Amino acid sequence: MRPNSLKAKLAAGQPVVSGWLSIPSSYSAEIIARQGFDCVNVDLQHGMIGIESAIPMLQAISATDATPIARVGSNDPAIIMKLLDAGAYGIICPMVSSAGDAARFVSACRYPPAGERSFGPARGLLYGGPDYFAHANAEILTMAMIETVAGVENLEEIVAVDGLDALFIGPNDLSLAYGKQPLAEPQDDTVTAAISRVLDAASMVGMPVGIFCSSPAAAARRLAQGFRFVVPGNDAGLLTKAAREALAGARDEAAVSTGQSSRASGY
């Protein structure tokens, strides 16, 4: 089976920078995946992506060196198994609030006797190789999202679940859970303390933690803080920023050429 380089890097304590897709396009997936990200995530939770769009996006990512992963909309074994069968090498599962939630998630990602995943890895065999079944339990990455108060309170039990590989913090929903405004970079003391508690609990058992970030600079700060998996924004955000900068730059250059720069104060 093709080794899961993402899982190997996380296990070795190496930093991972992930691309994040919310636009249902295999073309944009291929563009993002060719930029050098360690992995690229297809977001079926908050992205505008359904399973029919996700499959060609996973195919596009698979043609690059980036590891293809997916975030599901819920802890639903059916969609988890379908994405794994489609060639996803890792699953991010939202709203994991207890050890039971984590165990159900892991079970959907593991073949018996370790779990309850049913057999039928159609594209998994094409991407992973003919010996996929023999090694899938060891290679597929499981990442549980901590974004509720209960999830924070049950951290010690969650990280003890056999087969769970990593945690991922959803800062917006975690902020909402504590009654605060949704922010990718929370400033409230209660929320920042919860984030630190997640990082500390996982570090105690050697489990890597990921987090969504608002910018490349924020991602760099999170890596320095001890996070091992960071997302410096998604495709929609990057496209929006680039488009705004291109538009502003064109208008400023046009103004300069006509002697009417918007940068001049004037009166």
Side-chain angles (χ1 to χ4, degrees), residues 48-63:
M48 303 294 101
I49 300 168
I51 188 65
E52 299 301 329
S53 298
I55 294 172
M57 293 172 74
L58 291 170
Q59 290 174 310
I61 299 165
S62 298

PDB file of all heavy atoms in Angstrom, residues 48-63:
ATOM      1  N   MET A  48     -18.816  23.947  -0.248  1.00  0.00           N
ATOM      2  CA  MET A  48     -19.972  23.746  -1.128  1.00  0.00           C
ATOM      3  C   MET A  48     -19.792  22.461  -1.943  1.00  0.00           C
ATOM      4  O   MET A  48     -19.902  22.451  -3.172  1.00  0.00           O
ATOM      5  CB  MET A  48     -20.133  24.949  -2.059  1.00  0.00           C
ATOM      6  CG  MET A  48     -20.275  26.285  -1.348  1.00  0.00           C
ATOM      7  SD  MET A  48     -21.831  26.411  -0.389  1.00  0.00           S
ATOM      8  CE  MET A  48     -21.248  26.083   1.285  1.00  0.00           C
ATOM      9  N   ILE A  49     -19.467  21.380  -1.266  1.00  0.00           N
ATOM     10  CA  ILE A  49     -19.018  20.147  -1.916  1.00  0.00           C
ATOM     11  C   ILE A  49     -19.878  18.970  -1.491  1.00  0.00           C
ATOM     12  O   ILE A  49     -20.074  18.733  -0.293  1.00  0.00           O
ATOM     13  CB  ILE A  49     -17.535  19.863  -1.567  1.00  0.00           C
ATOM     14  CG1 ILE A  49     -16.651  21.020  -2.031  1.00  0.00           C
ATOM     15  CG2 ILE A  49     -17.078  18.552  -2.196  1.00  0.00           C
ATOM     16  CD1 ILE A  49     -15.235  20.956  -1.472  1.00  0.00           C
ATOM     17  N   GLY A  50     -20.377  18.222  -2.456  1.00  0.00           N
ATOM     18  CA  GLY A  50     -21.074  16.975  -2.207  1.00  0.00           C
ATOM     19  C   GLY A  50     -20.198  15.810  -2.618  1.00  0.00           C
ATOM     20  O   GLY A  50     -19.114  15.991  -3.175  1.00  0.00           O
ATOM     21  N   ILE A  51     -20.672  14.609  -2.399  1.00  0.00           N
ATOM     22  CA  ILE A  51     -19.859  13.427  -2.669  1.00  0.00           C
ATOM     23  C   ILE A  51     -19.523  13.312  -4.157  1.00  0.00           C
ATOM     24  O   ILE A  51     -18.422  12.888  -4.516  1.00  0.00           O
ATOM     25  CB  ILE A  51     -20.558  12.148  -2.155  1.00  0.00           C
ATOM     26  CG1 ILE A  51     -19.620  10.944  -2.271  1.00  0.00           C
ATOM     27  CG2 ILE A  51     -21.873  11.912  -2.878  1.00  0.00           C
ATOM     28  CD1 ILE A  51     -18.395  11.008  -1.414  1.00  0.00           C
ATOM     29  N   GLU A  52     -20.438  13.697  -5.050  1.00  0.00           N
ATOM     30  CA  GLU A  52     -20.177  13.593  -6.484  1.00  0.00           C
ATOM     31  C   GLU A  52     -19.058  14.529  -6.918  1.00  0.00           C
ATOM     32  O   GLU A  52     -18.304  14.218  -7.844  1.00  0.00           O
ATOM     33  CB  GLU A  52     -21.454  13.872  -7.285  1.00  0.00           C
ATOM     34  CG  GLU A  52     -22.583  12.904  -7.006  1.00  0.00           C
ATOM     35  CD  GLU A  52     -22.202  11.455  -7.306  1.00  0.00           C
ATOM     36  OE1 GLU A  52     -21.385  11.219  -8.209  1.00  0.00           O
ATOM     37  OE2 GLU A  52     -22.733  10.561  -6.620  1.00  0.00           O
ATOM     38  N   SER A  53     -18.957  15.689  -6.270  1.00  0.00           N
ATOM     39  CA  SER A  53     -17.857  16.616  -6.564  1.00  0.00           C
ATOM     40  C   SER A  53     -16.575  16.186  -5.869  1.00  0.00           C
ATOM     41  O   SER A  53     -15.473  16.417  -6.378  1.00  0.00           O
ATOM     42  CB  SER A  53     -18.228  18.035  -6.120  1.00  0.00           C
ATOM     43  OG  SER A  53     -19.348  18.525  -6.812  1.00  0.00           O
ATOM     44  N   ALA A  54     -16.704  15.584  -4.684  1.00  0.00           N
ATOM     45  CA  ALA A  54     -15.534  15.215  -3.896  1.00  0.00           C
ATOM     46  C   ALA A  54     -14.668  14.169  -4.592  1.00  0.00           C
ATOM     47  O   ALA A  54     -13.433  14.214  -4.510  1.00  0.00           O
ATOM     48  CB  ALA A  54     -15.962  14.699  -2.525  1.00  0.00           C
ATOM     49  N   ILE A  55     -15.296  13.225  -5.291  1.00  0.00           N
ATOM     50  CA  ILE A  55     -14.532  12.131  -5.901  1.00  0.00           C
ATOM     51  C   ILE A  55     -13.548  12.640  -6.956  1.00  0.00           C
ATOM     52  O   ILE A  55     -12.342  12.315  -6.881  1.00  0.00           O
ATOM     53  CB  ILE A  55     -15.481  11.057  -6.468  1.00  0.00           C
ATOM     54  CG1 ILE A  55     -16.231  10.383  -5.311  1.00  0.00           C
ATOM     55  CG2 ILE A  55     -14.704  10.015  -7.273  1.00  0.00           C
ATOM     56  CD1 ILE A  55     -17.331   9.447  -5.741  1.00  0.00           C
ATOM     57  N   PRO A  56     -13.961  13.450  -7.957  1.00  0.00           N
ATOM     58  CA  PRO A  56     -12.953  13.966  -8.894  1.00  0.00           C
ATOM     59  C   PRO A  56     -11.932  14.885  -8.236  1.00  0.00           C
ATOM     60  O   PRO A  56     -10.794  14.992  -8.709  1.00  0.00           O
ATOM     61  CB  PRO A  56     -13.784  14.701  -9.952  1.00  0.00           C
ATOM     62  CG  PRO A  56     -15.114  14.936  -9.332  1.00  0.00           C
ATOM     63  CD  PRO A  56     -15.325  13.809  -8.382  1.00  0.00           C
ATOM     64  N   MET A  57     -12.301  15.541  -7.140  1.00  0.00           N
ATOM     65  CA  MET A  57     -11.329  16.377  -6.425  1.00  0.00           C
ATOM     66  C   MET A  57     -10.263  15.500  -5.771  1.00  0.00           C
ATOM     67  O   MET A  57      -9.068  15.817  -5.811  1.00  0.00           O
ATOM     68  CB  MET A  57     -12.044  17.233  -5.387  1.00  0.00           C
ATOM     69  CG  MET A  57     -12.970  18.275  -6.016  1.00  0.00           C
ATOM     70  SD  MET A  57     -14.005  19.148  -4.817  1.00  0.00           S
ATOM     71  CE  MET A  57     -12.796  20.221  -4.049  1.00  0.00           C
ATOM     72  N   LEU A  58     -10.673  14.380  -5.178  1.00  0.00           N
ATOM     73  CA  LEU A  58      -9.707  13.437  -4.614  1.00  0.00           C
ATOM     74  C   LEU A  58      -8.808  12.872  -5.707  1.00  0.00           C
ATOM     75  O   LEU A  58      -7.604  12.676  -5.500  1.00  0.00           O
ATOM     76  CB  LEU A  58     -10.430  12.312  -3.884  1.00  0.00           C
ATOM     77  CG  LEU A  58     -11.146  12.695  -2.586  1.00  0.00           C
ATOM     78  CD1 LEU A  58     -12.027  11.546  -2.098  1.00  0.00           C
ATOM     79  CD2 LEU A  58     -10.141  13.079  -1.502  1.00  0.00           C
ATOM     80  N   GLN A  59      -9.370  12.624  -6.886  1.00  0.00           N
ATOM     81  CA  GLN A  59      -8.574  12.132  -8.005  1.00  0.00           C
ATOM     82  C   GLN A  59      -7.525  13.164  -8.409  1.00  0.00           C
ATOM     83  O   GLN A  59      -6.373  12.810  -8.692  1.00  0.00           O
ATOM     84  CB  GLN A  59      -9.484  11.806  -9.191  1.00  0.00           C
ATOM     85  CG  GLN A  59     -10.359  10.582  -8.980  1.00  0.00           C
ATOM     86  CD  GLN A  59     -11.344  10.391 -10.118  1.00  0.00           C
ATOM     87  OE1 GLN A  59     -12.055  11.318 -10.502  1.00  0.00           O
ATOM     88  NE2 GLN A  59     -11.393   9.178 -10.654  1.00  0.00           N
ATOM     89  N   ALA A  60      -7.924  14.435  -8.450  1.00  0.00           N
ATOM     90  CA  ALA A  60      -6.992  15.491  -8.835  1.00  0.00           C
ATOM     91  C   ALA A  60      -5.854  15.616  -7.827  1.00  0.00           C
ATOM     92  O   ALA A  60      -4.679  15.749  -8.197  1.00  0.00           O
ATOM     93  CB  ALA A  60      -7.739  16.821  -8.963  1.00  0.00           C
ATOM     94  N   ILE A  61      -6.191  15.548  -6.545  1.00  0.00           N
ATOM     95  CA  ILE A  61      -5.157  15.630  -5.504  1.00  0.00           C
ATOM     96  C   ILE A  61      -4.224  14.430  -5.599  1.00  0.00           C
ATOM     97  O   ILE A  61      -2.998  14.550  -5.412  1.00  0.00           O
ATOM     98  CB  ILE A  61      -5.802  15.695  -4.105  1.00  0.00           C
ATOM     99  CG1 ILE A  61      -6.686  16.933  -3.982  1.00  0.00           C
ATOM    100  CG2 ILE A  61      -4.731  15.708  -3.008  1.00  0.00           C
ATOM    101  CD1 ILE A  61      -7.629  16.903  -2.790  1.00  0.00           C
ATOM    102  N   SER A  62      -4.781  13.264  -5.910  1.00  0.00           N
ATOM    103  CA  SER A  62      -4.005  12.028  -5.973  1.00  0.00           C
ATOM    104  C   SER A  62      -2.948  12.045  -7.068  1.00  0.00           C
ATOM    105  O   SER A  62      -2.005  11.246  -7.040  1.00  0.00           O
ATOM    106  CB  SER A  62      -4.937  10.830  -6.200  1.00  0.00           C
ATOM    107  OG  SER A  62      -5.840  10.694  -5.121  1.00  0.00           O
ATOM    108  N   ALA A  63      -3.088  12.942  -8.033  1.00  0.00           N
ATOM    109  CA  ALA A  63      -2.105  13.056  -9.108  1.00  0.00           C
ATOM    110  C   ALA A  63      -0.912  13.915  -8.699  1.00  0.00           C
ATOM    111  O   ALA A  63      -0.009  14.145  -9.507  1.00  0.00           O
ATOM    112  CB  ALA A  63      -2.764  13.639 -10.357  1.00  0.00           C
TER     113      ALA A  63
END
